Amino acid sequence: MMNLQKKKLYTLLALVALFVILFICNMLLSPYHMRIINLVGINIALVVSLNLTNGFCGVFSLGHAGFMAVGAYVAAILSLPLVKKAIILPELPKWLGSVELSFLPSLIIGGLVAAICALIIGYPVLRLRGHYLAVATLGFLVVIQVVITQLQDFTRGARGINGLTQYTNTWWVWIFTCITIYVVWRIINSAYGRGMMAIREDDLAAEAMGVNLTKYRLLAFCVGAFFAGIGGALWAHLITVVTPLSFSYDRTFSLVVMSVIGGMSSITGGVVGASLMTLVPELLRNLEVGITVGGISIPPLYGISQIVLSVVLIIVIIVRPKGIVGSREFSWNLFKKKKWNTMNQMEN
Amino acid sequence: MDSTYLLQQIVNGIGLGSIYALVAIGFSITYSILRLINFAHGDILMIGSYCALFIFLSGKVPLVVGLLLAMGFAALIGMLVERIAYRPLRTASEESMLITSIALSILIENLGILTVSAQPRKFVFPEVFAKNHELAGVTFNNMTILTVGVAVLLMILLTFFVKNTRLGTAMRACSENIGVARLMGIDINIVVAIAFAIGSALAAVAGIMLGGQYGRIDPLMGFIPGLKAFVAAVIGGIGSIPGAVLGGYLLGLFEILLVGFLPIEYTGYRDAFVFILLILVLLLRPNGILGSAEGRKV
Amino acid sequence: MKKLLVLLFSLVLGIALTGCGGSQEKEQPKQAGESGGDVIKIGAIYNVTGAQASLDGPSLNGFKLAAKEINAAGGVNGKKIEVVSIDGKTDQTSSTNAASKLVDVEKVSAIAGFSDSNYALAAGPIAQTAGVPFITSGATLPSMPEQVGDFFFMAAFGDDAQAYAAADYAVDALQAKKAYVLKDTAMDFTMNLAAFFEERFKSKNGDSAILLEDTFKTGDQDFSAQITRLKALKEKPDVLFISSGPSDCGPIVKQLRDAGVNIPVVSGDGFDTPLLIELGGKGAEVDTYFATHTCLNSDGEKVKKFVDDYKAEYNKEPENAFAALGYDTMHLIADAIKRADSADPKAIREALLQTNNFAAVTGSITYADGKRVPKKSVSILKVQDGKFSLIKEVTP
């Protein structure tokens, strides 16, 4: 075991290194590559926060995209410049129509509203278990989508809100990502975190030991939703358009896939899963170019990247059902003892 | 509102409900044995309907034969999918199987786009099925009769199979407790394969009826019915066949009645109401309407 | 095992980084538009997989066909056109990534794409920021060019033009006094189309001329509830305006006619799909009209050539009007490049803006008064004898 001081120092150094690298990337790389790097950051934050609920607390939620939608729409409406707001959202109530917040408060309010939604939906629904809970959270996603489509005055319905200022940049994304990882890490290493994991392993036993199930589950659910809301808002201000379809089943499923592929009950797993599942599809695009060999040209087979990706996914799941990282965590001890520090000794 | 209007909407709802019920049964059977939420189930429905399309297009086989061939083909695909993707995961967590099913769904849909193109195809039953009947002011066509008739017939056959045959009994045993069933000498692999075959065949029928009512099919047609069937199965009590049927009909009726009776400004909220109902059902009966509480080993 | 995985992960990451870095180095010295001497790179982003695939697939086919023809005829200004096409996957993230890649890595001279404004509005601003012209071949939201900026062009007419033409036809030719509207609330296009139709219809027949506005959602498979409500209306409408996309129009008309509703149906270019005839069957023959870009059955020389070439290239009839729009978009860009005598994006934009009476398959294109929504004729089509036939062509 290394001493704590040393580990903290290493972590700090790693952070500095990360931001120096990002700074250099920002100078050298094209906007396209920076866009991909930013998406990786946003996805890491989304998946790590999803892992808090789905992995650590065992509350298998399919509603993450719904919280993203709430955060994205709230932040979009708040941060939209007044001139634009008057044109594209003329029906807004006065108190909303005349505010224009800067990016940070918009993000935070977006996250808070998402967390409040989580509180409202979570209080009744978190009593359910297993797949019933998954269906109920999926239901929440549908309800949110329908409400966004129907509340024309606030959201412009299916037309969506476009022309958002592209506030999101490398610094916003990666500082937010680091904060998310830090907060989730602190939670799972606190008494709350142990309570959550106890619930995941055996809720009856946990309850018998005095863990308040509803409270702990709600906490995980709301914190997850808060970060999902901010993540959604960052996404919206990167893409500059939000429509109800931006946050559909596809989005929820892709987040869940990232989470399970990396390792659901591990922060490291979230980071690995999100990075791979953002980068690999982008790289696989290179498969979708037509090839001309000896005068015979093969037209590009669109859809081949999705096919390859899904086959690889199935193989990875069969080979490593607990995800690539499993439930282990990255630790500095790794370098010293050549051994992964197991978060959860019971696993091995 | 007069009673004819209500009756008409109920007839419409039963037609839609039959399709949901057929898909939900397949969902429920595989769930009850493997605890698997199979999001690729809807895509099997799509495969079934394309298979029927190619048989119908040739125009050489009678309807019943075409239907049976499509069911058989879908059953084969279902068994194949189980053998390749799900069997290696028999002992893995529910989440791993869920992800596999999502991956399979993406795989099948994109293979569909590559092979049969994304263009929707027309899928029209022979002229006779479009013939309208009127009874007490309620109109319905032969297609609706066929859908409801086939659905009910298949459900009766399935109930008979599950209750009165050795394989059916083995299936029930597996859904009670797969571990004990194995100890009793039941070949789990065969039971699971049969479950997938039955579920896929029923999905194929649902796909064909859906295609017939809608008039068109495309490679992405299965996703929404698959999701709705999942909801129906959960409402009815996932794992229970009568529950899946009840859930399917309830969902179909509820959707149609909401569109028919909500004030027009609110019809857009239909799906929201459907899911709010779902959440309410789950809160009142956490295991669905006909589901039995899962025994917990404390 | 663990080591293997770590190795695998770092390998993938390594490939990713070197892949990115490598292509970066290669592309760095090049200026936009000057892509390696004798080729001009044109980007194409179409959603060829996912829910939009049935519209965008034909568009891309048409686009590539046009490029092939141009190259066979010697290219533009002595240079060959190279189409760099990327799949948008019916996903905004993928679409914006694609736009960014085309602009930053491929350094294309112009980008074309999309049949839906949700995606065009996401990808457009990236081209705008980089100063590369973006021409959407099939999206018809008229306010888009204003919203995105001066590098954004539309190759198709706006929804206002087609909805007004449809409303005028309903009022003048069909003598309609009262209308029923059914619209898809899940699509941008159908919402706008219905709104423009109602605006025009009301201005002609008074505010109470719309008897009922009912809704459905893309992918709904059963319209019996809506039809039952339509039949229960006290006052019968003279015309049904069905604002739907291509995937739903066939089933709606079929189910309407199956249920015995034989009131004339009017719509926009969402109805321009063979499925309408195949599914509507005899039903669609009963008074089904729609406003669209062009009639592919007409005897016009351009149209005939396009249809024949498309058949020769892909072994099938053009699936819908979006194929023709994709084809026109490529020719429109090539025309601008020729007039600009340059592959410089800014010069191309200037030339595009000057486009005057460019003869395309879907009618002549003029960007008048600096507007980037073309002034184009609208064709009113009717289903007749299992084919679309041209009723009349109106120029707004």
Side-chain angles (χ1 to χ4, degrees), chain B residues 9 12 118-120 122 132 213-216 259 264 267 270-271, chain C residues 53-54 58 212 215 217 220 224-225 229 247-248 251 258 275 279:
Chain B
Q9 300 288 28
N12 299 340
Q119 292 304 322
K122 80 162 173 173
N132 275 330
Q213 286 197 341
Y214 198 36
R216 61 175 274 262
V259 179
I264 224 151
T267 49
R270 180 194 70 192
D271 286 0
Chain C
S54 58
L212 183 70
T215 60
K217 244 181 69 196
D220 279 0
S224 48
R229 180 155 40 214
S247 59
D248 298 306
D258 280 357
L275 280 175
L279 294 185

PDB file of all heavy atoms in Angstrom, chain B residues 9 12 118-120 122 132 213-216 259 264 267 270-271, chain C residues 53-54 58 212 215 217 220 224-225 229 247-248 251 258 275 279:
ATOM      1  N   GLN B   9     -64.754   1.773 -31.136  1.00  0.00           N
ATOM      2  CA  GLN B   9     -63.399   1.933 -30.591  1.00  0.00           C
ATOM      3  C   GLN B   9     -62.955   0.665 -29.877  1.00  0.00           C
ATOM      4  O   GLN B   9     -61.783   0.302 -29.901  1.00  0.00           O
ATOM      5  CB  GLN B   9     -63.331   3.133 -29.631  1.00  0.00           C
ATOM      6  CG  GLN B   9     -63.690   4.473 -30.262  1.00  0.00           C
ATOM      7  CD  GLN B   9     -62.627   5.001 -31.208  1.00  0.00           C
ATOM      8  OE1 GLN B   9     -61.883   4.242 -31.807  1.00  0.00           O
ATOM      9  NE2 GLN B   9     -62.578   6.313 -31.387  1.00  0.00           N
ATOM     10  N   ASN B  12     -61.836  -1.741 -32.469  1.00  0.00           N
ATOM     11  CA  ASN B  12     -60.501  -1.327 -32.909  1.00  0.00           C
ATOM     12  C   ASN B  12     -59.445  -1.756 -31.903  1.00  0.00           C
ATOM     13  O   ASN B  12     -58.372  -2.237 -32.262  1.00  0.00           O
ATOM     14  CB  ASN B  12     -60.421   0.192 -33.074  1.00  0.00           C
ATOM     15  CG  ASN B  12     -61.392   0.725 -34.109  1.00  0.00           C
ATOM     16  OD1 ASN B  12     -61.862  -0.024 -34.953  1.00  0.00           O
ATOM     17  ND2 ASN B  12     -61.706   2.008 -34.031  1.00  0.00           N
ATOM     18  N   ALA B 118     -33.849  -0.115 -46.930  1.00  0.00           N
ATOM     19  CA  ALA B 118     -34.649   0.583 -45.922  1.00  0.00           C
ATOM     20  C   ALA B 118     -36.016   0.983 -46.461  1.00  0.00           C
ATOM     21  O   ALA B 118     -36.876   1.402 -45.711  1.00  0.00           O
ATOM     22  CB  ALA B 118     -33.902   1.827 -45.452  1.00  0.00           C
ATOM     23  N   GLN B 119     -36.184   0.850 -47.784  1.00  0.00           N
ATOM     24  CA  GLN B 119     -37.473   1.260 -48.344  1.00  0.00           C
ATOM     25  C   GLN B 119     -38.586   0.383 -47.807  1.00  0.00           C
ATOM     26  O   GLN B 119     -38.494  -0.831 -47.844  1.00  0.00           O
ATOM     27  CB  GLN B 119     -37.441   1.132 -49.883  1.00  0.00           C
ATOM     28  CG  GLN B 119     -36.515   2.105 -50.567  1.00  0.00           C
ATOM     29  CD  GLN B 119     -36.817   3.540 -50.219  1.00  0.00           C
ATOM     30  OE1 GLN B 119     -37.973   3.921 -50.096  1.00  0.00           O
ATOM     31  NE2 GLN B 119     -35.783   4.329 -50.017  1.00  0.00           N
ATOM     32  N   PRO B 120     -39.650   1.004 -47.312  1.00  0.00           N
ATOM     33  CA  PRO B 120     -40.782   0.190 -46.866  1.00  0.00           C
ATOM     34  C   PRO B 120     -41.356  -0.589 -48.049  1.00  0.00           C
ATOM     35  O   PRO B 120     -41.318  -0.107 -49.183  1.00  0.00           O
ATOM     36  CB  PRO B 120     -41.797   1.219 -46.369  1.00  0.00           C
ATOM     37  CG  PRO B 120     -41.137   2.529 -46.390  1.00  0.00           C
ATOM     38  CD  PRO B 120     -39.882   2.435 -47.167  1.00  0.00           C
ATOM     39  N   LYS B 122     -44.681  -2.746 -49.677  1.00  0.00           N
ATOM     40  CA  LYS B 122     -46.116  -2.922 -49.458  1.00  0.00           C
ATOM     41  C   LYS B 122     -46.370  -4.360 -49.035  1.00  0.00           C
ATOM     42  O   LYS B 122     -45.663  -5.288 -49.423  1.00  0.00           O
ATOM     43  CB  LYS B 122     -46.900  -2.564 -50.704  1.00  0.00           C
ATOM     44  CG  LYS B 122     -46.935  -3.636 -51.755  1.00  0.00           C
ATOM     45  CD  LYS B 122     -48.063  -3.366 -52.722  1.00  0.00           C
ATOM     46  CE  LYS B 122     -47.999  -4.354 -53.894  1.00  0.00           C
ATOM     47  NZ  LYS B 122     -49.141  -4.255 -54.758  1.00  0.00           N
ATOM     48  N   ASN B 132     -65.351  -4.940 -45.899  1.00  0.00           N
ATOM     49  CA  ASN B 132     -65.921  -4.414 -44.664  1.00  0.00           C
ATOM     50  C   ASN B 132     -67.220  -5.113 -44.276  1.00  0.00           C
ATOM     51  O   ASN B 132     -68.027  -5.474 -45.124  1.00  0.00           O
ATOM     52  CB  ASN B 132     -66.226  -2.925 -44.822  1.00  0.00           C
ATOM     53  CG  ASN B 132     -65.003  -2.085 -44.524  1.00  0.00           C
ATOM     54  OD1 ASN B 132     -64.173  -2.493 -43.717  1.00  0.00           O
ATOM     55  ND2 ASN B 132     -64.886  -0.946 -45.172  1.00  0.00           N
ATOM     56  N   GLN B 213     -52.525  -5.168 -41.478  1.00  0.00           N
ATOM     57  CA  GLN B 213     -53.375  -4.057 -41.074  1.00  0.00           C
ATOM     58  C   GLN B 213     -52.795  -2.710 -41.513  1.00  0.00           C
ATOM     59  O   GLN B 213     -53.510  -1.797 -41.872  1.00  0.00           O
ATOM     60  CB  GLN B 213     -53.544  -4.048 -39.552  1.00  0.00           C
ATOM     61  CG  GLN B 213     -54.461  -5.151 -39.088  1.00  0.00           C
ATOM     62  CD  GLN B 213     -54.960  -4.924 -37.684  1.00  0.00           C
ATOM     63  OE1 GLN B 213     -54.389  -4.159 -36.930  1.00  0.00           O
ATOM     64  NE2 GLN B 213     -56.023  -5.611 -37.330  1.00  0.00           N
ATOM     65  N   TYR B 214     -51.453  -2.653 -41.460  1.00  0.00           N
ATOM     66  CA  TYR B 214     -50.783  -1.390 -41.740  1.00  0.00           C
ATOM     67  C   TYR B 214     -50.526  -1.245 -43.224  1.00  0.00           C
ATOM     68  O   TYR B 214     -50.429  -0.137 -43.736  1.00  0.00           O
ATOM     69  CB  TYR B 214     -49.469  -1.366 -40.961  1.00  0.00           C
ATOM     70  CG  TYR B 214     -48.846  -0.028 -40.784  1.00  0.00           C
ATOM     71  CD1 TYR B 214     -49.628   1.110 -40.585  1.00  0.00           C
ATOM     72  CD2 TYR B 214     -47.469   0.115 -40.778  1.00  0.00           C
ATOM     73  CE1 TYR B 214     -49.028   2.337 -40.404  1.00  0.00           C
ATOM     74  CE2 TYR B 214     -46.876   1.336 -40.590  1.00  0.00           C
ATOM     75  CZ  TYR B 214     -47.660   2.451 -40.417  1.00  0.00           C
ATOM     76  OH  TYR B 214     -47.064   3.659 -40.235  1.00  0.00           O
ATOM     77  N   GLY B 215     -50.377  -2.367 -43.913  1.00  0.00           N
ATOM     78  CA  GLY B 215     -50.190  -2.329 -45.344  1.00  0.00           C
ATOM     79  C   GLY B 215     -48.746  -2.220 -45.774  1.00  0.00           C
ATOM     80  O   GLY B 215     -48.435  -2.288 -46.945  1.00  0.00           O
ATOM     81  N   ARG B 216     -47.847  -2.004 -44.828  1.00  0.00           N
ATOM     82  CA  ARG B 216     -46.450  -1.873 -45.239  1.00  0.00           C
ATOM     83  C   ARG B 216     -45.542  -2.452 -44.161  1.00  0.00           C
ATOM     84  O   ARG B 216     -45.914  -2.523 -42.993  1.00  0.00           O
ATOM     85  CB  ARG B 216     -46.082  -0.411 -45.436  1.00  0.00           C
ATOM     86  CG  ARG B 216     -46.223   0.405 -44.178  1.00  0.00           C
ATOM     87  CD  ARG B 216     -45.730   1.799 -44.375  1.00  0.00           C
ATOM     88  NE  ARG B 216     -44.317   1.871 -44.145  1.00  0.00           N
ATOM     89  CZ  ARG B 216     -43.774   2.270 -42.995  1.00  0.00           C
ATOM     90  NH1 ARG B 216     -44.539   2.621 -41.993  1.00  0.00           N
ATOM     91  NH2 ARG B 216     -42.485   2.334 -42.837  1.00  0.00           N
ATOM     92  N   VAL B 259     -57.071   7.618 -27.471  1.00  0.00           N
ATOM     93  CA  VAL B 259     -57.109   8.460 -28.660  1.00  0.00           C
ATOM     94  C   VAL B 259     -58.553   8.812 -28.993  1.00  0.00           C
ATOM     95  O   VAL B 259     -58.871   9.925 -29.393  1.00  0.00           O
ATOM     96  CB  VAL B 259     -56.449   7.751 -29.862  1.00  0.00           C
ATOM     97  CG1 VAL B 259     -56.518   8.628 -31.093  1.00  0.00           C
ATOM     98  CG2 VAL B 259     -55.016   7.426 -29.553  1.00  0.00           C
ATOM     99  N   ILE B 264     -59.380  16.479 -27.909  1.00  0.00           N
ATOM    100  CA  ILE B 264     -58.394  16.402 -28.973  1.00  0.00           C
ATOM    101  C   ILE B 264     -57.059  17.054 -28.612  1.00  0.00           C
ATOM    102  O   ILE B 264     -55.997  16.605 -29.048  1.00  0.00           O
ATOM    103  CB  ILE B 264     -59.005  16.982 -30.253  1.00  0.00           C
ATOM    104  CG1 ILE B 264     -58.670  16.069 -31.420  1.00  0.00           C
ATOM    105  CG2 ILE B 264     -58.523  18.364 -30.549  1.00  0.00           C
ATOM    106  CD1 ILE B 264     -59.698  16.110 -32.491  1.00  0.00           C
ATOM    107  N   THR B 267     -54.863  14.274 -27.072  1.00  0.00           N
ATOM    108  CA  THR B 267     -54.558  12.965 -27.667  1.00  0.00           C
ATOM    109  C   THR B 267     -53.064  12.791 -27.876  1.00  0.00           C
ATOM    110  O   THR B 267     -52.567  11.675 -27.836  1.00  0.00           O
ATOM    111  CB  THR B 267     -55.269  12.776 -29.020  1.00  0.00           C
ATOM    112  OG1 THR B 267     -55.019  13.932 -29.807  1.00  0.00           O
ATOM    113  CG2 THR B 267     -56.743  12.573 -28.860  1.00  0.00           C
ATOM    114  N   ARG B 270     -51.126  10.652 -25.470  1.00  0.00           N
ATOM    115  CA  ARG B 270     -51.505   9.255 -25.321  1.00  0.00           C
ATOM    116  C   ARG B 270     -50.424   8.377 -24.688  1.00  0.00           C
ATOM    117  O   ARG B 270     -50.663   7.724 -23.673  1.00  0.00           O
ATOM    118  CB  ARG B 270     -51.859   8.675 -26.699  1.00  0.00           C
ATOM    119  CG  ARG B 270     -52.262   7.234 -26.641  1.00  0.00           C
ATOM    120  CD  ARG B 270     -52.275   6.635 -28.030  1.00  0.00           C
ATOM    121  NE  ARG B 270     -50.907   6.509 -28.533  1.00  0.00           N
ATOM    122  CZ  ARG B 270     -50.599   6.231 -29.780  1.00  0.00           C
ATOM    123  NH1 ARG B 270     -51.562   6.084 -30.660  1.00  0.00           N
ATOM    124  NH2 ARG B 270     -49.350   6.125 -30.167  1.00  0.00           N
ATOM    125  N   ASP B 271     -49.232   8.394 -25.274  1.00  0.00           N
ATOM    126  CA  ASP B 271     -48.192   7.503 -24.775  1.00  0.00           C
ATOM    127  C   ASP B 271     -47.822   7.819 -23.333  1.00  0.00           C
ATOM    128  O   ASP B 271     -47.485   6.931 -22.555  1.00  0.00           O
ATOM    129  CB  ASP B 271     -46.952   7.571 -25.665  1.00  0.00           C
ATOM    130  CG  ASP B 271     -47.172   6.846 -26.977  1.00  0.00           C
ATOM    131  OD1 ASP B 271     -48.287   6.305 -27.155  1.00  0.00           O
ATOM    132  OD2 ASP B 271     -46.262   6.830 -27.815  1.00  0.00           O
TER     133      ASP B 271
ATOM    134  N   ALA C  53     -33.732   6.521 -43.297  1.00  0.00           N
ATOM    135  CA  ALA C  53     -33.038   5.880 -44.419  1.00  0.00           C
ATOM    136  C   ALA C  53     -33.872   5.813 -45.689  1.00  0.00           C
ATOM    137  O   ALA C  53     -33.333   5.906 -46.783  1.00  0.00           O
ATOM    138  CB  ALA C  53     -32.582   4.483 -44.020  1.00  0.00           C
ATOM    139  N   SER C  54     -35.200   5.686 -45.560  1.00  0.00           N
ATOM    140  CA  SER C  54     -35.985   5.514 -46.775  1.00  0.00           C
ATOM    141  C   SER C  54     -36.040   6.803 -47.594  1.00  0.00           C
ATOM    142  O   SER C  54     -36.317   6.769 -48.780  1.00  0.00           O
ATOM    143  CB  SER C  54     -37.390   5.032 -46.436  1.00  0.00           C
ATOM    144  OG  SER C  54     -38.019   5.941 -45.589  1.00  0.00           O
ATOM    145  N   PRO C  58     -32.313   7.151 -51.208  1.00  0.00           N
ATOM    146  CA  PRO C  58     -32.498   7.577 -52.595  1.00  0.00           C
ATOM    147  C   PRO C  58     -31.820   8.914 -52.897  1.00  0.00           C
ATOM    148  O   PRO C  58     -31.244   9.089 -53.982  1.00  0.00           O
ATOM    149  CB  PRO C  58     -34.016   7.710 -52.727  1.00  0.00           C
ATOM    150  CG  PRO C  58     -34.550   6.768 -51.719  1.00  0.00           C
ATOM    151  CD  PRO C  58     -33.575   6.783 -50.579  1.00  0.00           C
ATOM    152  N   LEU C 212     -61.866  20.169 -37.787  1.00  0.00           N
ATOM    153  CA  LEU C 212     -61.216  19.379 -36.749  1.00  0.00           C
ATOM    154  C   LEU C 212     -59.740  19.236 -37.101  1.00  0.00           C
ATOM    155  O   LEU C 212     -59.388  19.043 -38.263  1.00  0.00           O
ATOM    156  CB  LEU C 212     -61.853  17.983 -36.678  1.00  0.00           C
ATOM    157  CG  LEU C 212     -61.328  17.054 -35.588  1.00  0.00           C
ATOM    158  CD1 LEU C 212     -61.755  17.536 -34.214  1.00  0.00           C
ATOM    159  CD2 LEU C 212     -61.843  15.634 -35.808  1.00  0.00           C
ATOM    160  N   THR C 215     -54.538  14.447 -34.540  1.00  0.00           N
ATOM    161  CA  THR C 215     -53.099  14.185 -34.573  1.00  0.00           C
ATOM    162  C   THR C 215     -52.796  12.701 -34.500  1.00  0.00           C
ATOM    163  O   THR C 215     -53.617  11.901 -34.077  1.00  0.00           O
ATOM    164  CB  THR C 215     -52.394  14.840 -33.372  1.00  0.00           C
ATOM    165  OG1 THR C 215     -52.952  14.301 -32.179  1.00  0.00           O
ATOM    166  CG2 THR C 215     -52.545  16.330 -33.386  1.00  0.00           C
ATOM    167  N   LYS C 217     -48.866  10.078 -34.419  1.00  0.00           N
ATOM    168  CA  LYS C 217     -47.420  10.132 -34.243  1.00  0.00           C
ATOM    169  C   LYS C 217     -46.765   9.206 -35.241  1.00  0.00           C
ATOM    170  O   LYS C 217     -47.263   8.106 -35.464  1.00  0.00           O
ATOM    171  CB  LYS C 217     -47.074   9.659 -32.826  1.00  0.00           C
ATOM    172  CG  LYS C 217     -46.444  10.711 -31.956  1.00  0.00           C
ATOM    173  CD  LYS C 217     -46.132  10.119 -30.599  1.00  0.00           C
ATOM    174  CE  LYS C 217     -45.024   9.097 -30.691  1.00  0.00           C
ATOM    175  NZ  LYS C 217     -44.936   8.245 -29.521  1.00  0.00           N
ATOM    176  N   ASP C 220     -47.243   5.301 -35.681  1.00  0.00           N
ATOM    177  CA  ASP C 220     -48.536   4.768 -35.262  1.00  0.00           C
ATOM    178  C   ASP C 220     -49.010   3.850 -36.361  1.00  0.00           C
ATOM    179  O   ASP C 220     -48.876   4.172 -37.542  1.00  0.00           O
ATOM    180  CB  ASP C 220     -49.567   5.902 -35.106  1.00  0.00           C
ATOM    181  CG  ASP C 220     -49.418   6.603 -33.779  1.00  0.00           C
ATOM    182  OD1 ASP C 220     -48.524   6.201 -33.013  1.00  0.00           O
ATOM    183  OD2 ASP C 220     -50.176   7.539 -33.503  1.00  0.00           O
ATOM    184  N   SER C 224     -57.551   3.884 -36.619  1.00  0.00           N
ATOM    185  CA  SER C 224     -58.996   3.662 -36.537  1.00  0.00           C
ATOM    186  C   SER C 224     -59.674   4.644 -35.586  1.00  0.00           C
ATOM    187  O   SER C 224     -60.790   5.087 -35.835  1.00  0.00           O
ATOM    188  CB  SER C 224     -59.277   2.226 -36.131  1.00  0.00           C
ATOM    189  OG  SER C 224     -58.496   1.875 -35.034  1.00  0.00           O
ATOM    190  N   ALA C 225     -58.984   5.014 -34.504  1.00  0.00           N
ATOM    191  CA  ALA C 225     -59.607   5.950 -33.558  1.00  0.00           C
ATOM    192  C   ALA C 225     -59.835   7.306 -34.223  1.00  0.00           C
ATOM    193  O   ALA C 225     -60.913   7.899 -34.106  1.00  0.00           O
ATOM    194  CB  ALA C 225     -58.728   6.109 -32.325  1.00  0.00           C
ATOM    195  N   ARG C 229     -63.452   9.116 -35.254  1.00  0.00           N
ATOM    196  CA  ARG C 229     -63.811  10.470 -34.835  1.00  0.00           C
ATOM    197  C   ARG C 229     -64.159  11.345 -36.048  1.00  0.00           C
ATOM    198  O   ARG C 229     -65.093  12.146 -35.993  1.00  0.00           O
ATOM    199  CB  ARG C 229     -62.663  11.093 -34.049  1.00  0.00           C
ATOM    200  CG  ARG C 229     -62.989  12.498 -33.590  1.00  0.00           C
ATOM    201  CD  ARG C 229     -62.218  12.912 -32.373  1.00  0.00           C
ATOM    202  NE  ARG C 229     -60.840  12.457 -32.437  1.00  0.00           N
ATOM    203  CZ  ARG C 229     -60.149  12.090 -31.365  1.00  0.00           C
ATOM    204  NH1 ARG C 229     -60.705  12.123 -30.189  1.00  0.00           N
ATOM    205  NH2 ARG C 229     -58.906  11.704 -31.484  1.00  0.00           N
ATOM    206  N   SER C 247     -43.763   7.505 -44.847  1.00  0.00           N
ATOM    207  CA  SER C 247     -43.960   6.168 -44.305  1.00  0.00           C
ATOM    208  C   SER C 247     -45.395   5.953 -43.829  1.00  0.00           C
ATOM    209  O   SER C 247     -45.839   4.823 -43.707  1.00  0.00           O
ATOM    210  CB  SER C 247     -42.971   5.895 -43.171  1.00  0.00           C
ATOM    211  OG  SER C 247     -43.137   6.844 -42.168  1.00  0.00           O
ATOM    212  N   ASP C 248     -46.111   7.014 -43.522  1.00  0.00           N
ATOM    213  CA  ASP C 248     -47.453   6.842 -42.978  1.00  0.00           C
ATOM    214  C   ASP C 248     -48.579   7.104 -43.965  1.00  0.00           C
ATOM    215  O   ASP C 248     -49.720   6.741 -43.708  1.00  0.00           O
ATOM    216  CB  ASP C 248     -47.649   7.760 -41.761  1.00  0.00           C
ATOM    217  CG  ASP C 248     -46.694   7.418 -40.640  1.00  0.00           C
ATOM    218  OD1 ASP C 248     -46.674   6.248 -40.232  1.00  0.00           O
ATOM    219  OD2 ASP C 248     -45.960   8.309 -40.193  1.00  0.00           O
ATOM    220  N   PRO C 251     -50.653   3.832 -45.413  1.00  0.00           N
ATOM    221  CA  PRO C 251     -51.573   3.243 -44.441  1.00  0.00           C
ATOM    222  C   PRO C 251     -52.752   4.157 -44.095  1.00  0.00           C
ATOM    223  O   PRO C 251     -53.879   3.675 -43.942  1.00  0.00           O
ATOM    224  CB  PRO C 251     -50.683   3.035 -43.208  1.00  0.00           C
ATOM    225  CG  PRO C 251     -49.317   2.908 -43.747  1.00  0.00           C
ATOM    226  CD  PRO C 251     -49.248   3.740 -44.979  1.00  0.00           C
ATOM    227  N   ASP C 258     -60.616   2.133 -46.604  1.00  0.00           N
ATOM    228  CA  ASP C 258     -61.171   0.876 -46.102  1.00  0.00           C
ATOM    229  C   ASP C 258     -62.390   1.139 -45.229  1.00  0.00           C
ATOM    230  O   ASP C 258     -63.335   0.358 -45.188  1.00  0.00           O
ATOM    231  CB  ASP C 258     -60.134   0.110 -45.269  1.00  0.00           C
ATOM    232  CG  ASP C 258     -59.147  -0.637 -46.156  1.00  0.00           C
ATOM    233  OD1 ASP C 258     -59.330  -0.581 -47.383  1.00  0.00           O
ATOM    234  OD2 ASP C 258     -58.207  -1.248 -45.625  1.00  0.00           O
ATOM    235  N   LEU C 275     -45.448   3.969 -52.356  1.00  0.00           N
ATOM    236  CA  LEU C 275     -46.278   3.249 -51.379  1.00  0.00           C
ATOM    237  C   LEU C 275     -47.704   3.761 -51.370  1.00  0.00           C
ATOM    238  O   LEU C 275     -48.638   3.029 -51.051  1.00  0.00           O
ATOM    239  CB  LEU C 275     -45.690   3.412 -49.983  1.00  0.00           C
ATOM    240  CG  LEU C 275     -44.532   2.512 -49.646  1.00  0.00           C
ATOM    241  CD1 LEU C 275     -43.981   2.876 -48.290  1.00  0.00           C
ATOM    242  CD2 LEU C 275     -44.977   1.065 -49.651  1.00  0.00           C
ATOM    243  N   LEU C 279     -50.320   0.886 -51.656  1.00  0.00           N
ATOM    244  CA  LEU C 279     -51.160   0.592 -50.495  1.00  0.00           C
ATOM    245  C   LEU C 279     -52.554   1.145 -50.641  1.00  0.00           C
ATOM    246  O   LEU C 279     -53.537   0.503 -50.296  1.00  0.00           O
ATOM    247  CB  LEU C 279     -50.551   1.203 -49.233  1.00  0.00           C
ATOM    248  CG  LEU C 279     -49.237   0.613 -48.824  1.00  0.00           C
ATOM    249  CD1 LEU C 279     -48.815   1.218 -47.520  1.00  0.00           C
ATOM    250  CD2 LEU C 279     -49.391  -0.873 -48.682  1.00  0.00           C
TER     251      LEU C 279
END
